[in-house]
Amino acid sequence: MSEGEKTIRKRRHPGRGRGKGRVHPKGRQLDVAAQEDVLALLGDKPRNRDLLIEHLHLIQDSQGCLPAPHMVALADEMRLPLAEVYEVASFYAHFDIVKDDEERPPAVTVRVCDSLTCEMMGAQTLLKDLRTKYDGAVRVVPAPCMGRCDCPPVAEVGHAHVTNATVASVDAAVSGGDTSPTIPDYRGFDAYCADGGYALLRSCLDGGKTVEDILAALDDSGLRGLGGAGFPTGRKWQLVRAEPKPRYMTINADEGEPGTFKDRHYLETDPHRFLEGMLIGVWAVEAERAYIYLRDEYPQIRKLLQIEMPKLVAAGLAKEDSIELRRGAGAYICGEESAMIESIEGKRGLPRHRPPYVAQVGLFDRPTLVNNVETLFWIRDIVEKGATWFGDQGRNGGKGLRSYSVSGRVAEPGVKLAPAGVTVQELIDEFCGGMADGHTFKAYLPGGASGGILPASKGDLPLEFGKLESEGCFVGSHAVVILSDKDDMGDVARNLMRFFEDESCGQCTPCRVGTEKAVALMSDRDWDVPLLEELGRAMADASICGLGQAAANPLFSVLKHFREEVV
Amino acid sequence: MPKLTIDGEEIEVPDGLSVLQACELAGVEIPRFCYHERLSIAGNCRMCLVEVKPGPPKPQASCALPAGEGMEVSTNSPMVRKARHGVMEFLLINHPLDCPICDQGGECDLQDQAMAFGHDGSRFAENKRAVGDKYMGPLINTIMTRCIHCTRCVRFSTEVGGVEDMGMVNRGEHAEITTLGKAVSSEMSGNVIDLCPVGALTSKPYSFVARPWELRKTETIDVLDAVGANIRVDARGNEVLRVLPRLNEDVNEEWITDKTRFACDGLRRQRLDRPYVRNAEGKLAPAEWDDAFAAIAKRVKGLDGGKIAALAGDLCDVESMFALKALMGALGSPNLDCRQDGAKLDPTVRASYLFNTGIAGVEEADACLIIGSNPRWEAPLVNARLRKRWLQGSFPVGVVGPRHDLTYSHEYLGAGADTLRDIADGSHAFASVLKNAERPMLILGMGALARPDGAAVLAAARKIAEDTGMVGDGWNGFSVLHTAAARVGGLEIGFVPGAGGLDTNGILDASASGAVDVVYLLGADEVDTKKLGNAFVIYQGHHGDAGAHVADVILPGAAYTEKSGTYVNTEGRVQQGQLAAFPPGDAREDWTILRALSAALDCTLPFDDVAALRKQIREAFPRFVRLDDPEPAAWGEFGMAGTMDSTPFGSPIANFHMTDPISRASETMAKCTQEFLNNQNEATGTDG
């Protein structure tokens, strides 16, 4: 026994009446050094409650983690209960809370995407090899879809993404030391304006166009919400306009559905087309302010928007402080509109109950217009080229254009702008250069992880809202993942279910417990089909939001179309 | 008023109800875990599913669904039953099913509902999730593996308690309820134990003590503050094991304070279980009742009434005070008082000492001035009402007196009489806030009245009430917040100095100077006993506390759980307590002791049983006929204009957890004192 351990600490008898107690109350104490750090980081930024996640990011970025003393200092500085700061910080995957007795994570973190497409292309091997290679010197963790499914597998070193990653290319990025994101080539403000950009917005602001003109164009074009739900955009704008002021607008750029990367594509190539659509939306619903909620997996777009957004104010297109960029922190559920609103308010992304709908009671309890990036991206073209230009496109009963994020076993994956209602077979053959070499088309995911799975024999169904529901599937955000004869359907369903397990917010019982149990049951060689079916049904029926309701879709699809592979 | 059909029966329900509430009205019980009528709607347990037409062809959570015109609700269709079975199975997948060693066993929502919706065996063989237990202070025991994440506790502490110590961290299957190692700092934290639908949060002092079916349950009234919370006392044999709340919308809703709930272990310690008489050596020696009475008779018989005095303590029932008053009358003494703290309350005008708005009436007020009171400690349940009202918005609160965190935002106006004077003469800005309010109220605490200039403060408060329109038709915003359960009862029966008699301070001074020879302390422990000097002190009470220490004769009485007594709360609400256990040893119900003593003093009191005693009380004071129905008091002249001292108003309570002989004897309350008060002392330097 060492010297130190022999000392017996004297404690006062607890019943000594009015005696002096412990020097400190139980619970965490304010650490002066951490307080100085936090004060320096926050500077003169506002301490509003809705900025909690932004402020947590500041600490995470500077410290490489969220040390417990810094959390105490932040809670103190923002006048928030510590429990609330912990609730929020522990909810998001990109925050690493480090308790007093824990070691800080290594300086560099490599996240390897293990969502479906990346896993099909060897993410698990990459993950294993990287872990062996670094043996703890670099933190290597699996992460959900990074929205780059067209170049799998994907790894993220710090905030720098490595596509078509190999151990060598990841190691080059790690040893290179630059972990900041690279801004891609995009059409800048001047180029966009030279091309006639912002003329429409200006004419809206000048009174050249009326709100009714725009709404009529939207209605005629049949533009629907392209985030996944497909709600008619013109009608949504009208609903929000009918609510009392002040109103807000939020832009859902939290494209988390595995397989979806169209919003990234448009933001990376032509951000101003989206921004113009957004500002028209702000003008049309007379919103006080617009919040762009951008997922943390797209740091290059954050950088890009931080450069471009001030130009709008400088050009007089947007009012000072009328657009705010908010950063997600690694939570799929925040793609659900009410969860996103909670997150913008600086809270955990727990979906809200409807009614009331967010158009009535949304951000900060005010009427709120929520639109997806791509939806807004098309507004300028629809108005300028005429509603019929957009509306007249379409096949097999579809109306308009759709951006399909195609990934998996095709020769040329990527964002494919195609007529709405195109079938998967047409998509593969006409837009993707056929199947990849040596692969035979076997099945496909029409709408990302939650849209279910269909066999090749159903390859002639139009990929459009409302056309796949009879098959128990939906097209959602138009993320199409092509599977081939080389893919094990059990593995596919397990991968998707594991994703839902990781991303369940934990609010409601069926989803919280069901996804976890489903993964456990699906890990057996032979699935307990009746039990899984019952479990999936209870999840679909009883969950609060779409995550839990759709989580069992891939399970049902595999049981329906590929049962022989799992029993 | 939407009309809807529930299980085939049409019902019209008020606007704004949820489907679950509509079902309740229709007499259909809906199982639930997370829903609680006094908390916000979380809708997360998914147990309350019903089938609603028109609507999507799947069950919907009835707690979060507004009842709408023309809805057809089925609560027992095959779809609903299947969904509920599914949810129940989910809840039980990770629940440890350790009912045999769980304190919640026998009164567990999960157990009960599993009987209705559970399977007889589990279909899942995987390991269950295990969660580390959390420290939540000396009152709440946690076994977090049992938690089903309904978040009732988080919502209670945040919404009702007003302390945001609890939260749910992590997400998905890793979600956990925690306080991050901090004790829940609400004075009402124990209610989360009742709210927890499973055995995740249980009572620490009561752990592994008893099963609910072993307990004899007695519905009675709490006396540890002046609110008169309705409680249920659970006893096994002659031992009180726990105290739980009862529902009374007008008083405590369904909450009780931690002191009410957890001080009951003080009923087992420091008890006076036999009479004592101070012997020739000056030591208290055990005695028989007859010896004790003889010792008293020796001193009292033949003594001039003016040299005898009586003080009633804070926990006394009306019966014993009435009996003592009658005895003092028979002995010819006008020196009696029930205001141990010397509060300058005016017994002649009822409205001057009552909480006239009523506790539930707080919710109707639209502005409030708190004078010399810390309601959070003096009456946490009144404070909870204030917070409830504040949460509804447009409720300015001003505070004159000690500065405290009241769990709702308030404007701190000043420390004492100077500010009060400004408000009274209308020069203070808050006076116009009160004037502009439709139903303003003021809460006047003992911190402002229990001081030499109390009568002047009372007059100033009356002026504020009158000038700002607090008193009018159907509304009286003048509310005195008492801290002693016996106080209003004592005032109602006139346990105050008779003509030429001495009040508390007078009695103490007279004892010190020798002008009073005999002092009868009926459970009076809060007076400065040093001042009693050489007087012959008779202490009648249940705990060996301050009063018993200086007594020459000790007569062992009954604590509040051991007698059937009448109490009047701060609103003037008459409530009847019941005997839950017998007094220990030779101790007796207090009125019987006084009746027996009166015989020994040759002035036998004219009642032989409690019915006769109560009949006399009711005849003398007819308002005691009205149980649980406070009689509104007429406004009048009271208080005495005079100069107010500018010393800041104090708070009568320095330690919420120890205010009376019972809580001072409680180990649990000692732990709380250590946890909450002593720590705070060091850390922030607030007095206490």
Side-chain angles (χ1 to χ4, degrees), chain B residues 171-184:
Chain B
R171 72 180 185 206
E173 265 298 272
H174 306 284
E176 290 182 13
I177 301 292
T178 181
T179 58
L180 303 165
K182 191 171 175 292
V184 184

Side-chain angles (χ1 to χ4, degrees), chain A residues 141-184:
Chain A
V141 290
C145 186
M146 296 176 182
R148 291 164 175 82
C149 317
D150 48 343
C151 36
V154 183
E156 186 185 20
V157 179
H159 293 302
H161 284 85
V162 182
T163 49
N164 298 118
T166 60
V167 174
S169 63
V170 170
D171 191 44
V174 170
S175 44
D178 185 14
T179 56
S180 58
T182 322
I183 302 183

Side-chain angles (χ1 to χ4, degrees), chain A residues 245-399:
Chain A
K245 286 189 212 177
R247 303 186 273 255
Y248 289 106
M249 178 173 189
T250 60
I251 290 87
N252 192 338
D254 191 56
E255 177 179 56
E257 186 70 38
T260 317
F261 46 90
K262 59 181 180 69
D263 292 346
R264 174 183 61 84
H265 171 78
Y266 289 121
L267 287 168
E268 272 183 354
T269 50
D270 198 2
H272 283 285
R273 200 172 293 268
F274 148 71
L275 289 171
E276 183 169 3
M278 174 186 84
L279 291 173
I280 292 170
V282 168
W283 163 80
V285 303
E286 293 163 68
E288 293 286 303
R289 190 181 268 198
Y291 291 82
I292 305 175
Y293 187 81
L294 180 70
R295 66 189 305 223
D296 202 27
E297 285 80 354
Y298 294 166
Q300 77 286 10
I301 296 173
R302 187 170 64 252
K303 255 178 140 177
L304 176 163
L305 288 175
Q306 277 165 348
I307 298 168
E308 296 302 320
M309 279 168 30
K311 295 181 184 169
L312 302 177
V313 179
L317 293 165
K319 278 195 235 88
E320 189 93 40
D321 293 332
S322 65
I323 326 170
E324 218 172 295
L325 182 59
R326 286 298 176 85
R327 183 176 170 188
Y332 166 71
I333 190 64
C334 293
E336 198 275 350
E337 59 177 6
S338 64
M340 179 187 74
I341 283 171
E342 290 278 304
S343 190
I344 295 175
E345 291 179 359
K347 303 176 190 160
R348 295 172 292 165
L350 301 185
R352 294 180 183 171
H353 286 270
R354 262 56 65 94
Y357 295 91
V358 297
Q360 301 151 341
V361 182
L363 186 64
F364 306 125
D365 292 340
R366 298 305 311 165
T368 303
L369 172 67
V370 184
N371 273 143
N372 163 259
V373 171
E374 195 203 342
T375 315
L376 299 171
F377 185 85
W378 292 117
I379 288 177
R380 177 189 158 194
D381 289 335
I382 285 171
V383 180
E384 284 185 355
K385 297 181 185 170
T388 46
W389 162 82
F390 189 83
D392 286 355
Q393 314 210 37
R395 280 187 207 176
N396 309 320
K399 191 179 178 194

Side-chain angles (χ1 to χ4, degrees), chain B residues 250-328:
Chain B
D250 294 333
V251 183
N252 55 316
E253 298 178 274
E254 60 186 86
W255 318 125
I256 51 172
T257 70
D258 288 351
K259 186 164 54 186
T260 301
R261 182 185 301 267
F262 292 109
C264 62
D265 62 339
L267 292 168
R268 297 197 286 274
R269 304 174 80 242
Q270 301 269 89
R271 288 307 300 269
L272 300 172
D273 56 359
R274 58 183 310 169
Y276 289 86
V277 176
R278 202 169 286 277
N279 60 20
E281 291 91 58
K283 296 255 185 263
L284 282 166
E288 296 302 318
W289 279 106
D290 289 342
D291 305 335
F293 287 159
I296 296 170
K298 201 172 130 201
R299 284 300 292 257
V300 172
K301 268 192 194 169
L303 197 66
D304 172 45
K307 293 178 100 44
I308 306 172
L311 288 169
D314 292 349
L315 309 183
C316 296
D317 52 311
V318 170
E319 286 82 355
S320 58
M321 284 189 285
F322 184 84
L324 180 56
K325 186 186 171 198
L327 179 62
M328 296 306 284

Side-chain angles (χ1 to χ4, degrees), chain A residues 30 69 82 85 92 103 143 232 294 310 332 355 382 497 561:
Chain A
L30 198 56
L82 186 59
V85 176
Y92 295 95
E103 266 184 50
L294 180 70
Y332 166 71
I382 285 171
M497 191 58 86
H561 303 295

